[in-house]
Each structure stands twice: as structure tokens, then as C-alpha cells.
């Protein structure tokens, strides 16, 4: 027990301020802090003449940074090489650690625990979701720290799991690259209007009073479901699930398996997410849908759609948007030879991507439980070292 000491963040970290006048800059690389302890990242570069404030604050590698307005979303992180030298506003307090007491990586590990997130959110003040966590409250958050050698062992264990997750994600990325690289290589490839390959339609609005309800087995997909569990490589299950009669009574139209869909409006268009409908269900009004016509292979259609950027088609304006007419007239590289011969192989690759992504998700859950157990000492370090 003596190797673990209760203290506060403020006892092992010091706030720093590397103020830089905007007038002395030509441009500024802004950093952001992702939600759920996702890390500090290089967000965007902005010309100095477009910056409204007079002062920015530079961050360095191994700094601890948080977004005081999003403590309820665990917007805490450690600066890595990619964000070294970036700038933040005064809404992002910056700290350096006492290297004799704690490692930056260990602080980052603490940020990932449910107990820390709950404590930080509870100390935030305000009346909206964007409650502020003041520095005085942040630095008084209690933590229990082991000696540095123990911190290093815990970090090494977690890093080993992270390496396994990264390897799986790299496999997924490689398979995606193979999929898109398979299309448009045959001699008969020609520019073909999407409207000639299937029926282009728009989803129907999901009434607000039904959103999130689960009264049946028919999914009614919202754009947010694209990133839901099991949906990264095809729609399988929505958060909202109704009876077939409820879907019909509320104007929903069930999209058949094999339909290809993507966002119609808003920032989601720029994410370039495309999905195939694996489990039939209704789609909300923010989806555009291509139901393959006779002879059009859905797996090949999806791969072709993934091979080009829909964001290049968006209509100018404050809100990015696409419409059915634009999609119908859009020409894509299409080979009827590939369409007939590659469907099975493309489907198998997509299934392999889904399996690998599911394995990575399982490992992330294992990582979270392992980290929590190591930090609260319900899991022995020695046993964890043997497992990884």
C-alpha cells in the first residue's frame, strides 16, 4: 500500500502559459482535444489575419491539456509529436508534470478511467452540457499514484494492447485499400451515370417521438447509426427499432438488403461514409439511397461509391448538401465485366474488415477493463504482464 500514494493533480502538475502575440505570427496551427480522452491533435492552420484574439498559447510535447468547456465529454489529453508547437486559446489550460512524481502517459491513462471522468464532470459548473471545469477544480481532483517504476510497467502493458489494436486497424485499412483498388481497372470501364445503375431515393423522416424506441424488430436508421456498434461496414441494427406497422404508419419505407446509402446533408456528407444495407430497415430523411437495378451488383456498387469523394459534389452554401437529381446525373467509373466478376470477392473482403473491426472493438473493451483494474489494483500487474 505504501507504494501507492493519494494526492491531487495539482500536487504533481503545474500550469504553464507560453503566451504568443497573434501580431507576431503569420499563421497558427490550432490544436484540439478530442472527447473521451481521445488525445490532443493538430486541428487546423489559420492565417494570423483571420484570428480574432490577440494572444494564443503554445503547447509542447508531453503537456497536459484540457478543454474547460467540454469536461463532461472527457476532453483531456497529452500532447504528442503531431501537436507539438501548436497553439490553443485560453479555454485550454496547459500543464506540465513533475517528472519525479508522474509520467505524462500515466496521467493520460488516468483520463481514460470512468472514475476520473465522473469526478471531472461532477466538478464542472454551469447550466448547459458545456459546463466549465475551472482550473482550481481540475487541479484538486484526487488521484492515487504508484512509484514511477510501477507507472512504467502499467504503461508498457497498456501500450502492448494498443499495439495489437493498431495492428488490427492497419489490417482493416489495408483491406479497404484493396477493395477500392480493385475497381475501374478493366478495359471496358467507362463513365456511367448512377441513375442508370439503380433507383435513387431519399429516406423518410423518423418522428421525434419514436426516436430511440424499441417496440419491434425493424430498424429505422439515422445517420448517427453509421458509427453505431456493428454498422461500420454495413447497416445491421439501428438504435430505433419499430414494428413493421409502426414504420408504415409513420411514412417509413423499408430499404432492401443490398441498397447503398450515404449522408445527404450537413457535415456528415464530408465524412465520406457509405454503407450497404445488410439488414433491411427504414432510413431517415438525411440519407440518399441507391437501390441497385437489375444486373447491378451491390458489393461492386458500394466499392465504386467508396472510390470517389462525394464531398466534391456538394452544392455551395453554408450547409453541405446533395440531392437526388445530382446523384442520378453523377458519372462514376463502371465496368460491367468487374460488376459481374468481383462481387463475391468484394463481399468477402468487406466481411473480413467487419470481423477484424469487431476484434479491435473487443480489444478496446478489454483494454478499458484492464486499465481500470490496474489503476484500482484489482488486477495484479504481474498477471497482466504474463497475459499481454
Amino acid at each position: 500500500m505504501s507504494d501507492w500514494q493519494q494526492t491531487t493533480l495539482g500536487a504533481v502538475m503545474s500550469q504553464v502559459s507560453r503566451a504568443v502575440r497573434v501580431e507576431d505570427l503569420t499563421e497558427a496551427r490550432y490544436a484540439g482535444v478530442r472527447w473521451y480522452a481521445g488525445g490532443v491533435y493538430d486541428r487546423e492552420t489559420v492565417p494570423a489575419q483571420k484570428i480574432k484574439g490577440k494572444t494564443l498559447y503554445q503547447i509542447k510535447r508531453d503537456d497536459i491539456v484540457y478543454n474547460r468547456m467540454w469536461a463532461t465529454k472527457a476532453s483531456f489529453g497529452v500532447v504528442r509529436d503531431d501537436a507539438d508547437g501548436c497553439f490553443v486559446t485560453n479555454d485550454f489550460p496547459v500543464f506540465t508534470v513533475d517528472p519525479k512524481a508522474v509520467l505524462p502517459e500515466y496521467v493520460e491513462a488516468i483520463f481514460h478511467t470512468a472514475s476520473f471522468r465522473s469526478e471531472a464532470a461532477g466538478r464542472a459548473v454551469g447550466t448547459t452540457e458545456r459546463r466549465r471545469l475551472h482550473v482550481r477544480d481540475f487541479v484538486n481532483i484526487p488521484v492515487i499514484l504508484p512509484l514511477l517504476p510501477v507507472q512504467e510497467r502499467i504503461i508498457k502493458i497498456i501500450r502492448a494492447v494498443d499495439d495489437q489494436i493498431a495492428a488490427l486497424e492497419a489490417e482493416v485499412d489495408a483491406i479497404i485499400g484493396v477493395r477500392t483498388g480493385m475497381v475501374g481497372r478493366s478495359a471496358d470501364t467507362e463513365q456511367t451515370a448512377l441513375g442508370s445503375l439503380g433507383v435513387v431515393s431519399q429516406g423518410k423522416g423518423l418522428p421525434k417521438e419514436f426516436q430511440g424506441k424499441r417496440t419491434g424488430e425493424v430498424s429505422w436508421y439515422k445517420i448517427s447509426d453509421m458509427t453505431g456498434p456493428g454498422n461500420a461496414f454495413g447497416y445491421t441494427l439501428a438504435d430505433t427499432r419499430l414494428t413493421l406497422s409502426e414504420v408504415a404508419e409513420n411514412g417509413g419505407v423499408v430499404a432492401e438488403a443490398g441498397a447503398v446509402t450515404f449522408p445527404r446533408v450537413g457535415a456528415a456528407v464530408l465524412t465520406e461514409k457509405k454503407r450497404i444495407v445488410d439488414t433491411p430497415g427504414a432510413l431517415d430523411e438525411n440519407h440518399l439511397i441507391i437501390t441497385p437495378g437489375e444486373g447491378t451488383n451491390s458489393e461492386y456498387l458500394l466499392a465504386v461509391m467508396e472510390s470517389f469523394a462525394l464531398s466534391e459534389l456538394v452544392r455551395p452554401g453554408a450547409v453541405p448538401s446533395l440531392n437526388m437529381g445530382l446523384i442520378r446525373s453523377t458519372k462514376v467509373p463502371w465496368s460491367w465485366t468487374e460488376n459481374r466478376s468481383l462481387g463475391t470477392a468484394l463481399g468477402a473482403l468487406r466481411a473480413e474488415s467487419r470481423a477484424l473491426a469487431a476484434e479491435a472493438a473487443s480489444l478496446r473493451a478489454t483494454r478499458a477493463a484492464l486499465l481500470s483494474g490496474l489503476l484500482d489494483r484489482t488486477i495484479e500487474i504481474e498477471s497482466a504482464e504474463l497475459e499481454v
Side-chain angles (χ1 to χ4, degrees):
M1 182 68 180
S2 60
D3 289 344
W4 294 71
Q5 299 295 327
Q6 181 153 343
T7 183
T8 63
L9 287 176
V12 295
M13 298 192 312
S14 300
Q15 189 172 8
V16 295
S17 176
R18 304 184 192 97
V20 177
R21 295 183 303 177
V22 172
E23 65 184 31
D24 294 332
L25 301 172
T26 56
E27 62 181 21
R29 290 168 53 222
Y30 274 103
V33 185
R34 292 188 176 92
W35 289 0
Y36 309 116
V40 182
Y41 67 102
D42 185 341
R43 190 183 71 194
E44 62 178 337
T45 299
V46 178
Q49 62 268 28
K50 293 187 177 181
I51 298 173
K52 295 181 180 180
K54 295 182 179 181
T55 306
L56 294 176
Y57 303 88
Q58 193 168 46
I59 59 176
K60 298 290 186 181
R61 177 177 169 79
D62 290 336
D63 283 351
I64 309 299
V65 185
Y66 79 92
N67 184 337
R68 72 170 88 231
M69 294 185 294
W70 285 114
T72 56
K73 296 292 187 181
S75 185
F76 304 93
V78 177
V79 179
R80 303 300 185 199
D81 286 336
D82 61 333
D84 184 25
C86 283
F87 294 92
V88 294
T89 68
N90 60 3
D91 280 321
F92 295 78
V94 182
F95 302 81
T96 57
V97 302
D98 176 357
K100 296 180 180 180
V102 68
L103 300 171
E105 296 89 347
Y106 195 81
V107 176
E108 184 176 47
I110 292 173
F111 290 159
H112 280 274
T113 62
S115 57
F116 174 84
R117 294 180 184 183
S118 176
E119 182 72 26
R123 290 169 178 259
V125 296
T127 57
T128 68
E129 187 181 27
R130 297 176 71 172
R131 302 195 306 273
R132 287 177 172 264
L133 178 62
H134 296 297
V135 169
R136 64 178 180 272
D137 298 314
F138 173 71
V139 298
N140 282 322
I141 292 177
V143 293
I144 300 177
L145 298 179
L147 298 176
L148 289 177
V150 177
Q151 294 180 33
E152 291 171 349
R153 291 172 68 187
I154 291 174
I155 291 165
K156 186 176 180 180
I157 292 168
I158 296 303
R159 190 175 292 146
V161 180
D162 287 340
D163 289 345
Q164 295 176 51
I165 295 171
L168 289 169
E169 291 175 339
E171 285 189 66
V172 172
D173 290 341
I175 291 173
I176 292 172
V178 170
R179 274 177 53 85
T180 55
M182 290 172 66
V183 303
R185 303 180 68 175
S186 295
D188 67 335
T189 300
E190 58 184 16
Q191 295 296 310
T192 304
L194 283 170
S196 68
L197 301 174
V199 177
V200 179
S201 60
Q202 180 180 327
K204 303 297 182 181
L206 171 59
K208 188 173 183 179
E209 61 270 23
F210 283 93
Q211 293 179 17
K213 285 193 173 183
R214 298 177 183 177
T215 57
E217 297 182 355
V218 181
S219 286
W220 197 323
Y221 299 100
K222 292 171 59 68
I223 290 297
S224 58
D225 287 309
M226 284 192 167
T227 55
N231 290 336
F233 295 94
Y235 270 156
T236 59
L237 194 66
D239 184 56
T240 298
R241 301 190 286 276
L242 308 177
T243 65
L244 187 59
S245 60
E246 285 176 323
V247 171
E249 289 166 5
N250 286 280
V253 176
V254 175
E256 62 188 53
V260 173
T261 186
F262 43 89
R264 179 187 67 84
V265 67
V269 175
L270 307 181
T271 67
E272 298 297 344
K273 291 183 174 66
K274 291 100 175 179
R275 297 290 185 267
I276 196 168
V277 177
D278 283 320
T279 303
L283 284 74
D284 79 0
E285 77 281 11
N286 294 315
H287 292 82
L288 286 177
I289 308 153
I290 305 176
T291 302
E294 184 176 356
T296 299
N297 183 280
S298 57
E299 293 286 353
Y300 185 68
L301 176 60
L302 174 64
V304 168
M305 294 297 294
E306 290 173 338
S307 69
F308 77 99
L310 283 170
S311 57
E312 296 179 359
L313 305 177
V314 298
R315 295 185 299 180
V319 179
S321 64
L322 303 168
N323 60 46
M324 290 186 287
L326 178 63
I327 295 302
R328 290 188 186 105
S329 63
T330 295
K331 293 186 176 182
V332 296
W334 188 268
S335 163
W336 286 105
T337 299
E338 292 176 354
N339 174 72
R340 288 189 294 270
S341 62
L342 295 181
T344 300
L346 289 167
L349 288 171
R350 185 168 67 88
E352 179 65 13
S353 295
R354 169 173 277 155
L356 290 169
E359 188 177 349
S362 177
L363 263 182
R364 281 191 288 271
T366 298
R367 179 196 190 277
L370 177 61
L371 178 60
S372 178
L374 289 169
L375 267 59
D376 67 16
R377 288 163 287 168
T378 56
I379 294 177
E380 293 289 338
I381 295 176
E382 291 78 6
S383 64
E385 288 173 329
L386 292 173
E387 290 294 326
V388 300

